[in-house]
mmCIF file of all heavy atoms in Angstrom:
data_model
loop_
_atom_site.group_PDB
_atom_site.id
_atom_site.type_symbol
_atom_site.label_atom_id
_atom_site.label_comp_id
_atom_site.label_asym_id
_atom_site.label_seq_id
_atom_site.Cartn_x
_atom_site.Cartn_y
_atom_site.Cartn_z
ATOM 1 N N VAL A 91 14.098 18.018 -11.507
ATOM 2 C CA VAL A 91 14.799 18.509 -12.684
ATOM 3 C C VAL A 91 13.886 18.315 -13.881
ATOM 4 O O VAL A 91 13.296 17.247 -14.044
ATOM 5 C CB VAL A 91 16.099 17.706 -12.928
ATOM 6 C CG1 VAL A 91 16.895 18.328 -14.060
ATOM 7 C CG2 VAL A 91 16.933 17.629 -11.664
ATOM 8 N N SER A 92 13.731 19.334 -14.704
ATOM 9 C CA SER A 92 12.918 19.153 -15.900
ATOM 10 C C SER A 92 13.685 18.245 -16.852
ATOM 11 O O SER A 92 14.923 18.224 -16.848
ATOM 12 C CB SER A 92 12.612 20.491 -16.570
ATOM 13 O OG SER A 92 13.636 20.850 -17.471
ATOM 14 N N PRO A 93 12.964 17.472 -17.656
ATOM 15 C CA PRO A 93 13.657 16.569 -18.592
ATOM 16 C C PRO A 93 14.631 17.331 -19.487
ATOM 17 O O PRO A 93 15.727 16.863 -19.781
ATOM 18 C CB PRO A 93 12.518 15.972 -19.420
ATOM 19 C CG PRO A 93 11.279 16.175 -18.613
ATOM 20 C CD PRO A 93 11.511 17.373 -17.761
ATOM 21 N N ARG A 94 14.225 18.520 -19.884
ATOM 22 C CA ARG A 94 15.076 19.323 -20.766
ATOM 23 C C ARG A 94 16.352 19.739 -20.047
ATOM 24 O O ARG A 94 17.452 19.666 -20.598
ATOM 25 C CB ARG A 94 14.306 20.564 -21.217
ATOM 26 C CG ARG A 94 14.982 21.370 -22.301
ATOM 27 C CD ARG A 94 14.177 22.630 -22.565
ATOM 28 N NE ARG A 94 14.645 23.391 -23.706
ATOM 29 C CZ ARG A 94 14.205 23.232 -24.948
ATOM 30 N NH1 ARG A 94 13.295 22.320 -25.212
ATOM 31 N NH2 ARG A 94 14.664 23.978 -25.931
ATOM 32 N N ALA A 95 16.208 20.158 -18.785
ATOM 33 C CA ALA A 95 17.374 20.576 -18.007
ATOM 34 C C ALA A 95 18.333 19.403 -17.824
ATOM 35 O O ALA A 95 19.555 19.560 -17.892
ATOM 36 C CB ALA A 95 16.931 21.124 -16.654
ATOM 37 N N ARG A 96 17.761 18.209 -17.589
ATOM 38 C CA ARG A 96 18.593 17.021 -17.399
ATOM 39 C C ARG A 96 19.411 16.746 -18.667
ATOM 40 O O ARG A 96 20.608 16.462 -18.622
ATOM 41 C CB ARG A 96 17.695 15.821 -17.079
ATOM 42 C CG ARG A 96 18.402 14.692 -16.369
ATOM 43 C CD ARG A 96 17.443 13.562 -16.061
ATOM 44 N NE ARG A 96 16.493 13.848 -14.982
ATOM 45 C CZ ARG A 96 16.805 13.845 -13.684
ATOM 46 N NH1 ARG A 96 18.031 13.569 -13.292
ATOM 47 N NH2 ARG A 96 15.901 14.116 -12.775
ATOM 48 N N ARG A 97 18.729 16.862 -19.817
ATOM 49 C CA ARG A 97 19.412 16.616 -21.080
ATOM 50 C C ARG A 97 20.508 17.649 -21.330
ATOM 51 O O ARG A 97 21.645 17.321 -21.671
ATOM 52 C CB ARG A 97 18.398 16.650 -22.238
ATOM 53 C CG ARG A 97 18.943 16.123 -23.547
ATOM 54 C CD ARG A 97 18.120 16.602 -24.730
ATOM 55 N NE ARG A 97 18.340 18.017 -24.963
ATOM 56 C CZ ARG A 97 17.460 18.832 -25.514
ATOM 57 N NH1 ARG A 97 16.270 18.393 -25.856
ATOM 58 N NH2 ARG A 97 17.743 20.106 -25.693
ATOM 59 N N VAL A 98 20.161 18.937 -21.111
ATOM 60 C CA VAL A 98 21.126 20.011 -21.360
ATOM 61 C C VAL A 98 22.325 19.882 -20.405
ATOM 62 O O VAL A 98 23.478 20.080 -20.807
ATOM 63 C CB VAL A 98 20.443 21.394 -21.216
ATOM 64 C CG1 VAL A 98 21.465 22.518 -21.264
ATOM 65 C CG2 VAL A 98 19.415 21.580 -22.324
ATOM 66 N N ALA A 99 22.038 19.497 -19.152
ATOM 67 C CA ALA A 99 23.123 19.324 -18.182
ATOM 68 C C ALA A 99 24.089 18.241 -18.646
ATOM 69 O O ALA A 99 25.311 18.382 -18.540
ATOM 70 C CB ALA A 99 22.542 18.982 -16.813
ATOM 71 N N LEU A 100 23.517 17.178 -19.192
ATOM 72 C CA LEU A 100 24.331 16.077 -19.693
ATOM 73 C C LEU A 100 25.184 16.547 -20.877
ATOM 74 O O LEU A 100 26.383 16.293 -20.956
ATOM 75 C CB LEU A 100 23.396 14.933 -20.134
ATOM 76 C CG LEU A 100 24.000 13.554 -20.231
ATOM 77 C CD1 LEU A 100 24.388 13.058 -18.839
ATOM 78 C CD2 LEU A 100 22.993 12.589 -20.852
ATOM 79 N N GLU A 101 24.559 17.303 -21.771
ATOM 80 C CA GLU A 101 25.268 17.803 -22.953
ATOM 81 C C GLU A 101 26.398 18.756 -22.579
ATOM 82 O O GLU A 101 27.469 18.737 -23.174
ATOM 83 C CB GLU A 101 24.285 18.543 -23.882
ATOM 84 C CG GLU A 101 23.377 17.609 -24.669
ATOM 85 C CD GLU A 101 22.209 18.352 -25.336
ATOM 86 O OE1 GLU A 101 22.159 19.600 -25.248
ATOM 87 O OE2 GLU A 101 21.354 17.675 -25.913
ATOM 88 N N LEU A 102 26.131 19.591 -21.581
ATOM 89 C CA LEU A 102 27.120 20.618 -21.227
ATOM 90 C C LEU A 102 28.074 20.163 -20.124
ATOM 91 O O LEU A 102 28.995 20.879 -19.767
ATOM 92 C CB LEU A 102 26.407 21.897 -20.781
ATOM 93 C CG LEU A 102 25.473 22.552 -21.800
ATOM 94 C CD1 LEU A 102 24.790 23.764 -21.198
ATOM 95 C CD2 LEU A 102 26.246 22.961 -23.048
ATOM 96 N N GLY A 103 27.798 18.973 -19.565
ATOM 97 C CA GLY A 103 28.632 18.482 -18.488
ATOM 98 C C GLY A 103 28.474 19.268 -17.197
ATOM 99 O O GLY A 103 29.416 19.466 -16.443
ATOM 100 N N VAL A 104 27.250 19.733 -16.945
ATOM 101 C CA VAL A 104 26.996 20.480 -15.706
ATOM 102 C C VAL A 104 26.490 19.519 -14.636
ATOM 103 O O VAL A 104 25.619 18.697 -14.882
ATOM 104 C CB VAL A 104 25.961 21.606 -15.945
ATOM 105 C CG1 VAL A 104 25.531 22.243 -14.631
ATOM 106 C CG2 VAL A 104 26.526 22.648 -16.892
ATOM 107 N N GLU A 105 27.065 19.623 -13.454
ATOM 108 C CA GLU A 105 26.649 18.793 -12.321
ATOM 109 C C GLU A 105 25.333 19.342 -11.752
ATOM 110 O O GLU A 105 25.236 20.521 -11.446
ATOM 111 C CB GLU A 105 27.757 18.847 -11.262
ATOM 112 C CG GLU A 105 27.613 17.848 -10.143
ATOM 113 C CD GLU A 105 27.691 16.405 -10.614
ATOM 114 O OE1 GLU A 105 28.678 16.061 -11.319
ATOM 115 O OE2 GLU A 105 26.770 15.638 -10.282
ATOM 116 N N LEU A 106 24.322 18.472 -11.636
ATOM 117 C CA LEU A 106 23.022 18.949 -11.142
ATOM 118 C C LEU A 106 22.982 19.097 -9.625
ATOM 119 O O LEU A 106 22.266 19.925 -9.089
ATOM 120 C CB LEU A 106 21.911 17.997 -11.587
ATOM 121 C CG LEU A 106 21.521 18.080 -13.062
ATOM 122 C CD1 LEU A 106 20.579 16.949 -13.432
ATOM 123 C CD2 LEU A 106 20.888 19.421 -13.391
ATOM 124 N N LEU A 109 22.608 22.380 -7.476
ATOM 125 C CA LEU A 109 22.051 23.463 -8.284
ATOM 126 C C LEU A 109 20.716 23.910 -7.718
ATOM 127 O O LEU A 109 19.926 23.079 -7.278
ATOM 128 C CB LEU A 109 21.840 22.945 -9.713
ATOM 129 C CG LEU A 109 22.577 23.676 -10.808
ATOM 130 C CD1 LEU A 109 22.437 22.940 -12.126
ATOM 131 C CD2 LEU A 109 22.075 25.071 -10.931
ATOM 132 N N GLU A 120 16.130 24.525 -17.660
ATOM 133 C CA GLU A 120 17.250 24.747 -18.570
ATOM 134 C C GLU A 120 18.019 26.019 -18.203
ATOM 135 O O GLU A 120 19.248 26.041 -18.179
ATOM 136 C CB GLU A 120 16.723 24.851 -20.002
ATOM 137 C CG GLU A 120 17.830 25.020 -21.035
ATOM 138 C CD GLU A 120 17.269 25.255 -22.435
ATOM 139 O OE1 GLU A 120 16.059 25.513 -22.566
ATOM 140 O OE2 GLU A 120 18.065 25.172 -23.386
ATOM 141 N N VAL A 123 20.544 25.514 -15.505
ATOM 142 C CA VAL A 123 21.730 24.763 -15.936
ATOM 143 C C VAL A 123 22.661 25.673 -16.730
ATOM 144 O O VAL A 123 23.864 25.744 -16.482
ATOM 145 C CB VAL A 123 21.324 23.545 -16.790
ATOM 146 C CG1 VAL A 123 22.552 22.843 -17.344
ATOM 147 C CG2 VAL A 123 20.473 22.586 -15.966
ATOM 148 N N ARG A 124 22.068 26.430 -17.653
ATOM 149 C CA ARG A 124 22.888 27.322 -18.479
ATOM 150 C C ARG A 124 23.481 28.451 -17.637
ATOM 151 O O ARG A 124 24.559 28.961 -17.931
ATOM 152 C CB ARG A 124 22.070 27.890 -19.639
ATOM 153 C CG ARG A 124 21.643 26.807 -20.628
ATOM 154 C CD ARG A 124 21.209 27.378 -21.966
ATOM 155 N NE ARG A 124 20.705 26.320 -22.847
ATOM 156 C CZ ARG A 124 21.475 25.555 -23.606
ATOM 157 N NH1 ARG A 124 22.792 25.732 -23.595
ATOM 158 N NH2 ARG A 124 20.952 24.615 -24.368
ATOM 159 N N LEU A 127 27.024 27.966 -16.321
ATOM 160 C CA LEU A 127 28.133 28.256 -17.233
ATOM 161 C C LEU A 127 28.293 29.759 -17.434
ATOM 162 O O LEU A 127 29.392 30.276 -17.580
ATOM 163 C CB LEU A 127 27.886 27.582 -18.579
ATOM 164 C CG LEU A 127 27.833 26.057 -18.540
ATOM 165 C CD1 LEU A 127 27.623 25.504 -19.932
ATOM 166 C CD2 LEU A 127 29.106 25.487 -17.926
ATOM 167 N N ARG B 254 10.613 21.355 -29.284
ATOM 168 C CA ARG B 254 12.059 21.128 -29.108
ATOM 169 C C ARG B 254 12.790 22.461 -29.023
ATOM 170 O O ARG B 254 13.817 22.578 -28.362
ATOM 171 C CB ARG B 254 12.609 20.269 -30.254
ATOM 172 C CG ARG B 254 12.188 18.821 -30.090
ATOM 173 C CD ARG B 254 12.813 17.864 -31.085
ATOM 174 N NE ARG B 254 12.232 16.549 -30.858
ATOM 175 C CZ ARG B 254 11.511 15.871 -31.741
ATOM 176 N NH1 ARG B 254 11.339 16.350 -32.958
ATOM 177 N NH2 ARG B 254 10.989 14.703 -31.428
ATOM 178 N N LYS B 255 12.231 23.453 -29.692
ATOM 179 C CA LYS B 255 12.844 24.779 -29.643
ATOM 180 C C LYS B 255 12.480 25.507 -28.334
ATOM 181 O O LYS B 255 13.345 26.003 -27.633
ATOM 182 C CB LYS B 255 12.369 25.592 -30.857
ATOM 183 C CG LYS B 255 12.868 27.021 -30.901
ATOM 184 C CD LYS B 255 12.465 27.714 -32.199
ATOM 185 C CE LYS B 255 10.957 27.823 -32.326
ATOM 186 N NZ LYS B 255 10.515 28.580 -33.505
ATOM 187 N N ALA B 283 8.783 14.172 -27.204
ATOM 188 C CA ALA B 283 9.709 15.295 -26.988
ATOM 189 C C ALA B 283 9.973 15.465 -25.493
ATOM 190 O O ALA B 283 10.160 16.581 -25.000
ATOM 191 C CB ALA B 283 9.140 16.581 -27.588
ATOM 192 N N PHE B 284 9.949 14.341 -24.766
ATOM 193 C CA PHE B 284 10.088 14.386 -23.306
ATOM 194 C C PHE B 284 11.328 15.165 -22.880
ATOM 195 O O PHE B 284 11.276 16.031 -22.012
ATOM 196 C CB PHE B 284 10.143 12.957 -22.772
ATOM 197 C CG PHE B 284 10.246 12.875 -21.275
ATOM 198 C CD1 PHE B 284 9.176 13.232 -20.478
ATOM 199 C CD2 PHE B 284 11.411 12.425 -20.665
ATOM 200 C CE1 PHE B 284 9.255 13.151 -19.102
ATOM 201 C CE2 PHE B 284 11.501 12.343 -19.289
ATOM 202 C CZ PHE B 284 10.424 12.710 -18.507
ATOM 203 N N ASP B 285 12.446 14.867 -23.515
ATOM 204 C CA ASP B 285 13.702 15.489 -23.109
ATOM 205 C C ASP B 285 13.819 16.947 -23.536
ATOM 206 O O ASP B 285 14.815 17.592 -23.262
ATOM 207 C CB ASP B 285 14.883 14.688 -23.653
ATOM 208 C CG ASP B 285 15.006 13.358 -22.929
ATOM 209 O OD1 ASP B 285 14.752 13.342 -21.715
ATOM 210 O OD2 ASP B 285 15.308 12.343 -23.578
ATOM 211 N N SER B 286 12.808 17.422 -24.225
ATOM 212 C CA SER B 286 12.838 18.831 -24.609
ATOM 213 C C SER B 286 11.980 19.682 -23.702
ATOM 214 O O SER B 286 12.005 20.901 -23.781
ATOM 215 C CB SER B 286 12.326 18.997 -26.045
ATOM 216 O OG SER B 286 13.196 18.333 -26.919
ATOM 217 N N LEU B 287 11.194 19.033 -22.840
ATOM 218 C CA LEU B 287 10.262 19.790 -22.002
ATOM 219 C C LEU B 287 10.973 20.393 -20.798
ATOM 220 O O LEU B 287 11.655 19.698 -20.057
ATOM 221 C CB LEU B 287 9.128 18.881 -21.524
ATOM 222 C CG LEU B 287 8.103 18.526 -22.590
ATOM 223 C CD1 LEU B 287 7.151 17.467 -22.071
ATOM 224 C CD2 LEU B 287 7.334 19.767 -23.024
#
Side-chain angles (χ1 to χ4, degrees):
Chain A
V91 186
S92 87
R94 189 185 187 91
R96 202 179 287 284
R97 192 200 72 208
V98 172
L100 201 67
E101 285 167 4
L102 300 177
V104 171
E105 191 63 52
L106 286 171
L109 239 172
E120 183 185 12
V123 175
R124 294 197 185 276
L127 297 182
Chain B
R254 286 187 184 118
K255 177 174 63 175
F284 182 70
D285 289 323
S286 296
L287 286 172

